[in-house]
Amino acid sequence: MLQKVEGIVIRKVDYGETNVILTLFTREKGKIGVMARGAKKPKSRLSSVAQLFTYGHFVYQQGRGLGTLNQGEIIDSFRGIKEDLFKTAYCAYMIEFLDKVTEEQNPQPYLFEHLWQSLHQLDEGADPEVITFIFEMKMLRQAGIGPQVDHCANCGRTEGEFSFSIREGGLLCERCSHLDPNRIPLSQPAARLLRLFYHFDLNRLGNISLKKQTKDQIRFVLTTYIDENSGMVFKSKKFLNQLNKFE
Ligand SMILES: [Zn+2]
């Protein structure tokens, strides 16, 4: 049966001399795999659409296993991302995260919209780190391991100053701070932003700009939380870290 979907290429693996297997994250069907036969030949009509991060319409033949890609039409190739090593690295990390927390053939139009918005905003020049923080929060929620950022993870208090406890899985108020000697100190703007990013809709991003210190704290909290609680290892994260050292 012929299927038409709107999707973004999130993985590309060579298969034989001339073929590639693409993983698409689609609005209609969630994550799917398709074989693009001959896509490695420069003259193939599939070669331009069979590129990582490409957003387009795809027509494929659904077999019992992997579908076969018949046609593709680019909607946006996100050139602003592909021509920038840093943006490419952030993008690679986001799609690797998405890939890890989603199942095949499970439609999640909301996640598709979030992925598309993230790439679009990145392409348009929004702060890659802020986009990534919001993306990480969404992926943690998707994986069912979102941190508690609305109130103290222990007593539920919403007022006052907070630190972040990896062990308690979220914010810790001053009264409960003794529970975790390894809690991570937070400035109050950082605590508020963690909450905002958790609930954030990217449509509302606008021109948000963060102080370096705030960003450093949020990055440290999210990186440590993901390392300790997700059990996931990201190939793309190593490259991203190396790049950031040179920045
Ligand atoms: Zn508390």
Side-chain angles (χ1 to χ4, degrees), residues 3-9 22 24-28 32 34 45-46 48-50 53-60 69-78 112 116:
Q3 307 277 354
K4 188 177 180 190
V5 291
E6 177 187 348
I8 293 169
V9 179
L22 301 177
L24 306 175
F25 197 76
T26 71
R27 190 186 290 279
E28 298 84 352
I32 57 166
V34 291
R45 63 197 161 80
L46 297 177
S48 63
V49 81
F53 315 146
T54 292
Y55 168 44
H57 290 298
F58 299 84
V59 177
Y60 66 98
L69 187 65
N70 288 6
Q71 285 179 44
E73 185 194 329
I74 296 174
I75 302 171
D76 195 339
S77 58
F78 296 122
F112 175 81
W116 176 77

Side-chain angles (χ1 to χ4, degrees), residues 27-216:
R27 190 186 290 279
E28 298 84 352
K29 305 210 173 268
K31 188 163 74 176
I32 57 166
V34 291
M35 169 85 81
R37 293 195 184 278
K40 278 170 77 183
K41 294 181 192 161
K43 282 189 179 161
S44 162
R45 63 197 161 80
L46 297 177
S47 68
S48 63
V49 81
Q51 301 295 332
L52 210 52
F53 315 146
T54 292
Y55 168 44
H57 290 298
F58 299 84
V59 177
Y60 66 98
Q61 183 76 39
Q62 182 63 65
R64 235 181 289 164
L66 208 57
T68 305
L69 187 65
N70 288 6
Q71 285 179 44
E73 185 194 329
I74 296 174
I75 302 171
D76 195 339
S77 58
F78 296 122
R79 281 184 61 186
I81 297 176
K82 286 177 186 162
E83 289 169 359
D84 183 310
L85 196 58
F86 281 90
K87 289 183 186 177
T88 300
Y90 280 103
C91 199
Y93 169 59
M94 288 195 281
I95 60 175
E96 188 184 355
F97 210 152
L98 179 83
D99 197 7
K100 281 192 197 299
V101 299
T102 51
E103 306 281 336
E104 294 214 358
Q105 307 276 1
N106 177 22
Q108 288 172 296
Y110 163 78
L111 270 190
F112 175 81
E113 190 61 28
H114 190 80
L115 174 66
W116 176 77
Q117 275 282 352
S118 300
L119 300 197
H120 176 67
Q121 301 266 7
L122 201 59
D123 193 48
E124 296 274 298
D127 185 331
E129 274 208 298
V130 173
I131 301 282
T132 304
F133 292 154
I134 299 168
F135 201 85
E136 287 176 319
M137 283 294 201
K138 294 285 184 284
M139 294 306 108
L140 288 170
R141 285 177 76 165
Q142 167 71 17
I145 50 170
Q148 177 52 264
V149 288
D150 288 332
H151 49 72
C152 174
N154 182 57
C155 74
R157 237 177 125 205
T158 54
E159 304 294 315
E161 305 231 322
F162 295 94
S163 55
F164 192 93
S165 164
I166 301 293
R167 203 174 68 191
E168 300 292 323
L171 297 178
L172 214 51
C173 75
E174 287 163 289
R175 273 190 238 160
C176 301
S177 60
H178 65 277
L179 289 172
D180 185 359
N182 298 318
R183 64 191 179 276
I184 302 166
L186 282 181
S187 69
Q188 293 325 290
R192 272 198 305 277
L193 280 164
L194 280 173
R195 183 176 312 158
L196 186 70
F197 289 162
Y198 187 82
H199 296 287
F200 212 64
D201 180 352
L202 270 178
N203 291 317
R204 293 163 44 214
L205 185 63
N207 275 331
I208 186 166
S209 86
L210 271 60
K211 275 195 211 158
K212 187 179 177 301
Q213 186 217 7
T214 311
K215 248 193 207 180
D216 289 347

